[in-house]
């Protein structure tokens, strides 16, 4: 395959070009209320060519290998069609030759389709058995990706990424009230990830019953303790996206706000994006520019120390590429994205975090989040009131919101129980969703968070 | 595709084969500078089989890959029992848009640069934009006949967003529109002017306190509230799985009587369809009439489960996804007065233009809790400044009982790719909960 891709680039005598070719074999099994809704295997393969000329890319996709040369010519013609105002020279990189094989205990492709169906049925049955549960759903998802990358600098990479995961959800009804609880587990550790999840699935039953008896949260400004999962979503949404330098690189005012060395929060706070964390959902050995992934500090001891780059943005800003140029698949141009993003451990105990909170919320699990740079929102799967330093009754529909710069400064305590979360979903940016990422944190405490409510 | 159909026939399978080819050309700007010009072709086939009374499915982007039939047969070993058959198809061909029209990048490039410079100078911000030409071909057949249903869709769109650091904080606004034939310089400027209408007194902050306010939901804010709650509530997938609160609520009043919602497959958008993606004839249907729930959105599978008639709403969101129930064009009937006239007559209200955080509450139950990305406070008929650090929350089924007025102005928004369009007005709702610092 690599030789065929290299032949495609053969006629290019000047400028930079690369080809990504990907083979995806995906399996989905979904059971809802005792019926298998989906049990299917899909095979998708294809590639794309980028040709870089003076500051802009020409991009062209192909499905059949015999069409590579046509796609290379098309990308070259598109790149040369128009002239950008600013010429940017991509900083040259040393060529890399590597074959990355997955380090998994059990490769999902060694397990039969029938066994996977049986697993889904087993977890599904575990979730049933309560009259209040009107819809029970379990999904197994698997994407076995083999990707090939070559460029005109001589880089040749083959990388396999066997994603696999499982999720379960229950919709519960009590009178007119419907509530949904779910959990999702997925990463690059192999089939082990979906085994022995019985205790986790039992938690979904507990969560939905808690939600059915929970009161709607009262809107207001609260001190909150975030559990490691929602704290991970917070750092991803509120700060991670702001670190993606394709949002910064030409905006002088934003560059000034994001000047390296600036105080972003308490000196307890350190934030990292690390694509090289093997086994995590956002693990990549190389990004889609062919750059090796690495650990990048974004905030260290409260100070802004780094940001995420592609080759293009790093060349423009005179910084080093960080291995964060990623596309959801070969049909898309890579853009600057996160990988595995987390807050490093602090020293506080959970009891220490609770201490002194008169009126607060303990917020757990995440339904999702969205950011528009300065402002963000994210929502919790469940939450409990905190009254006089003690955890009280459950509340529901807790959606948190704030201004990122103020909120980072309002983090006043950080626990020491960092955990990472992947799952079957992923991150969205532009039209590219879902990109496999993970995020995590220890428990953290934040003051003055706006909670929407009645 | 023919190879797969002929092999399926040879094996005497009860098959359905759906083929799509999507060709897009686009020019993209990032931070006020040309980023790329792209040409993409995505094609593939989706196969469904009813085998021994069970459903099997698979897909591939190699359109002559016979393996998909084996995968689909394997899938049918586990698939659920099917209570419907694929319909007999007429021979039908339809087209939308001007297939001969092409985007002229070289001609439009100077205009785009002019727009970018204009916005940069006026608002001290950076502009992202994309100009896209989409040509889509879809073809459906099944074992019941030799006929094909074919659809050619061509459209052109232009979307732009402005990001600026202002004295009222970060400012992000956007605008989008489309046409059936190639876009002209005037079209691009009109879309730019439309975006500028969202920028009034944007550099001032209006201080408000938490409480209950009249809120003017823009088409974007409406999509994130009424739009997703109703479209998921009447969706057969959720109804058949008892996940919707609208099950057994037909002919009950669920919203204010001023609200009328239709699904209109004849509306002149790229979602205009004579037949759905399962081969059933589509028809305009009244979903909410004077606040009363009149109909559901069903595909073959959900209709069979609910023991109702399918409504011609089976949509394949890509060749690899199964047909799901979905609106073609979700349209809320407009009112009589323009937004300008309505605002002029208001003592105070919040004009909620751009929400952040769609879909993070229990939306199917109607709950919403949205951050105001861009919104203004209206006082004595005037927009006085931006509302910031504010959440607007509530429940669609209770809040949209208190509708004061619906505007004559509407905006067409695209959702889930080109498969569903929403034609939405501004709706003014009384007594909405607003939380702020």
């Amino acid at each position: 395959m690599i030789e065929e891709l290299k032949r495609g680039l053969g006629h290019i005598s000047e400028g930079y070009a690369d080809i990504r070719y990907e083979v995806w074999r995906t399996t989905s099994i979904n059971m809802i209320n005792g019926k298998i809704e989906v049990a299917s295997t899909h095979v998708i393969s294809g590639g794309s060519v980028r040709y870089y000329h003076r500051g802009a890319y020409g991009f062209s996709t192909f499905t059949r290998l015999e069409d590579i040369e046509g796609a290379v010519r098309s990308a070259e013609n598109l790149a040369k069609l128009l002239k950008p105002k600013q010429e940017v020279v991509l900083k040259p990189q040393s060529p890399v030759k590597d074959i990355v094989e997955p380090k998994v205990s059990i490769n999902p492709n060694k397990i039969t389709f029938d066994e996977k169906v049986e697993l889904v049925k087993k977890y599904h049955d575990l979730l049933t058995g309560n009259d209040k549960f009107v819809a029970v759903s379990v999904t197994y998802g698997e994407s076995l990706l083999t990707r090939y990358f070559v460029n005109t600098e001589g880089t040749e990479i083959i990388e396999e990424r066997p994603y696999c995961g499982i999720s379960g959800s229950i919709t519960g009804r009590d009178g007119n009230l419907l509530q949904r609880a779910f959990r999702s587990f997925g990463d690059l550790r192999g089939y082990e990830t979906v085994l022995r999840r019985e205790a986790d699935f039992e938690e979904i039953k507990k969560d939905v019953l808690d939600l059915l008896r929970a009161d709607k949260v009262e809107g207001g400004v609260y001190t909150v303790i975030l559990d490691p999962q929602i704290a991970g979503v917070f750092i991803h949404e509120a700060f991670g996206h702001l670190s993606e330098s394709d949002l910064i690189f030409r905006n002088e005012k934003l560059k000034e706000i994001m000047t390296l060395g600036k105080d972003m929060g308490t000196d307890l706070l350190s934030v990292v994006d690390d694509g090289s964390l093997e086994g995590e959902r956002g693990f990549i050995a190389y990004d889609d520019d062919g750059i090796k992934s690495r650990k990048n500090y974004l905030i260290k001891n409260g100070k802004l120390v780094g940001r995420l780059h592609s080759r293009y943005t790093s060349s423009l800003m005179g910084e080093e590429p960080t291995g964060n140029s990623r596309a959801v698949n070969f049909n898309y141009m890579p853009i600057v994205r996160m990988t595995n993003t987390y807050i490093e451990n602090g020293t506080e105990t959970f009891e220490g975090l609770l201490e002194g909170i008169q009126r607060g919320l303990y917020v757990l699990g995440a339904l999702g989040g969205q950011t528009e740079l300065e402002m963000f929102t994210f929502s919790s799967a469940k939450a409990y009131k905190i009254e006089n330093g003690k955890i009280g009754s459950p509340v529901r529909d807790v959606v948190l919101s704030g201004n990122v710069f103020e909120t980072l400064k309002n983090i006043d305590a950080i626990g020491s129980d960092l955990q990472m979360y992947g799952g079957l979903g992923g991150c969205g940016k532009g039209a590219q969703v879902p990109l496999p990422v993970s995020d995590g944190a220890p428990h953290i405490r934040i003051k003055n968070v706006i909670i929407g409510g009645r | 595709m023919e190879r797969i159909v002929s092999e399926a026939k040879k094996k005497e399978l009860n098959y359905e084969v759906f083929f799509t080819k999507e060709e897009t050309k686009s020019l993209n700007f990032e931070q006020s500078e040309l980023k790329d010009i792209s040409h993409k072709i995505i094609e593939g086939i989706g196969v469904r089989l009813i085998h021994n009374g069970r459903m099997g499915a698979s897909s591939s982007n190699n359109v002559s890959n016979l393996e998909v039939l084996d995968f689909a047969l394997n899938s049918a070993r586990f698939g659920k029992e099917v209570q419907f058959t694929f319909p007999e198809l007429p021979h039908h061909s339809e087209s939308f848009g001007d297939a001969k029209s092409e985007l002229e990048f070289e001609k439009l490039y100077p205009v785009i640069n002019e727009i970018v410079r204009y916005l940069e100078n006026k608002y001290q911000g950076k502009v992202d934009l994309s100009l896209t030409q989409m040509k889509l071909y879809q073809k459906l057949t099944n074992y019941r006949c030799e006929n094909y249903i074919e659809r050619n869709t061509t459209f052109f769109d232009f979307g732009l967003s402005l990001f600026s650091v202002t004295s009222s904080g970060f400012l992000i606004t956007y605008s989008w529109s489309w046409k059936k034939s190639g876009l002209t310089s005037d079209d691009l400027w009109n879309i730019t002017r439309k975006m500028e209408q969202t920028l009034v007194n944007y550099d001032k902050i209006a201080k408000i306190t938490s409480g209950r306010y009249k809120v003017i939901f823009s088409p974007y804010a409406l999509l994130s509230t009424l739009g997703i709650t109703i479209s998921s509530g009447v969706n057969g997938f959720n109804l058949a799985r008892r996940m919707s609160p609208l099950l057994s609520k037909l002919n009950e009043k669920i919203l204010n009587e001023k609200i009328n919602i239709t699904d209109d497959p004849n509306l002149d958008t790229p979602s205009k369809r004579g037949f759905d993606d399962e081969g059933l004839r589509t028809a305009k249907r009244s979903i909410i009439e004077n606040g009363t729930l009149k109909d559901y959105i069903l595909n073959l599978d959900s209709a069979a489960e609910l023991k109702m008639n399918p409504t011609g709403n089976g949509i394949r969101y890509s060749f690899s996804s199964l047909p799901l129930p979905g609106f073609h064009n979700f349209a809320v009937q407009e009112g009589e007065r323009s937004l300008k006239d309505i605002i002029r007559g208001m003592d105070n209200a919040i004009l909620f233009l751009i929400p952040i955080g769609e879909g993070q509450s229990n939306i199917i139950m109607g709950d919403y809790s949205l951050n105001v990305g861009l919104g203004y406070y209206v006082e004595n008929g005037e927009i006085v400044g931006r509302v910031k650090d504010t959440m607007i929350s509530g429940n669609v089924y209770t809040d949209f009982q208190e509708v004061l007025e619906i505007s004559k102005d509407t905006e067409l928004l695209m959702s889930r790719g080109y498969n569903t369009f929403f034609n939405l007005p501004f709706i003014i709702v009384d007594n909405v909960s607003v939380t702020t610092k």
Side-chain angles (χ1 to χ4, degrees), chain A residues 252-272:
Chain A
E252 295 306 323
K253 284 187 184 168
L254 190 53
K255 268 200 224 166
E256 196 185 310
I257 292 170
M258 297 296 282
T259 304
L260 299 184
K262 267 205 167 177
D263 272 337
M264 297 301 283
T266 154
D267 57 7
L268 303 169
L269 181 68
S270 293
V271 179
V272 171

Side-chain angles (χ1 to χ4, degrees), chain B residues 195-215:
Chain B
M195 185 179 81
E196 284 196 276
Q197 288 171 12
T198 66
L199 300 171
V200 186
N201 270 336
Y202 61 87
D203 48 358
K204 295 194 183 83
I205 289 190
K207 279 270 173 211
I208 59 165
T209 53
S210 296
R212 291 197 169 261
Y213 288 81
K214 291 185 197 88
V215 171

Side-chain angles (χ1 to χ4, degrees), chain A residues 117-182:
Chain A
V117 173
E118 281 311 311
L119 185 81
V120 168
K121 282 184 181 163
K122 185 180 86 175
Y123 287 135
H124 174 277
D125 291 349
L126 198 70
L127 295 185
T128 54
N130 186 316
D131 290 346
K132 286 187 173 161
F133 298 170
V134 291
V136 165
S137 173
V138 174
T139 302
Y140 171 82
E142 174 188 300
S143 297
L144 308 179
L145 165 66
T146 307
R147 58 188 296 283
Y148 304 86
F149 178 91
V150 299
N151 70 18
T152 45
E153 291 169 337
T155 289
E156 297 168 16
I157 298 165
I158 302 174
E159 184 173 345
E160 279 186 53
R161 294 182 197 152
Y163 298 103
C164 117
I166 193 132
S167 69
S169 78
I170 300 175
T171 303
R173 179 191 282 275
D174 195 352
N176 281 327
L177 179 66
L178 283 169
Q179 287 292 316
R180 181 170 175 268
F182 86 105

Side-chain angles (χ1 to χ4, degrees), chain B residues 324-388:
Chain B
L324 290 168
F327 275 81
H328 304 293
N329 291 296
F330 180 111
V332 175
Q333 195 186 312
E334 67 273 21
E336 283 171 6
R337 289 202 297 163
S338 71
L339 176 70
K340 245 186 194 161
D341 286 346
I342 295 172
I343 289 181
R344 209 174 288 141
M346 294 187 87
D347 48 359
N348 65 71
I350 289 168
L351 175 59
F352 186 12
L353 290 178
I354 298 179
I356 309 176
E358 173 188 305
Q360 291 178 34
S361 300
N362 191 354
I363 47 166
I364 197 162
M365 280 299 289
D367 293 334
Y368 65 91
S369 196
L370 298 162
N371 192 333
V372 181
L374 182 61
Y376 294 100
Y377 187 57
V378 173
E379 204 171 38
N380 301 323
E382 300 283 337
I383 289 173
V384 294
R386 265 183 93 181
V387 166
K388 290 218 43 176

Side-chain angles (χ1 to χ4, degrees), chain B residues 4 95 106 161 258 275 300 313 424 428:
Chain B
I4 286 165
S95 67
E106 284 149 297
S161 69
K258 291 192 185 76
F275 287 82
L300 284 170
N313 285 91
L424 303 170
I428 296 90

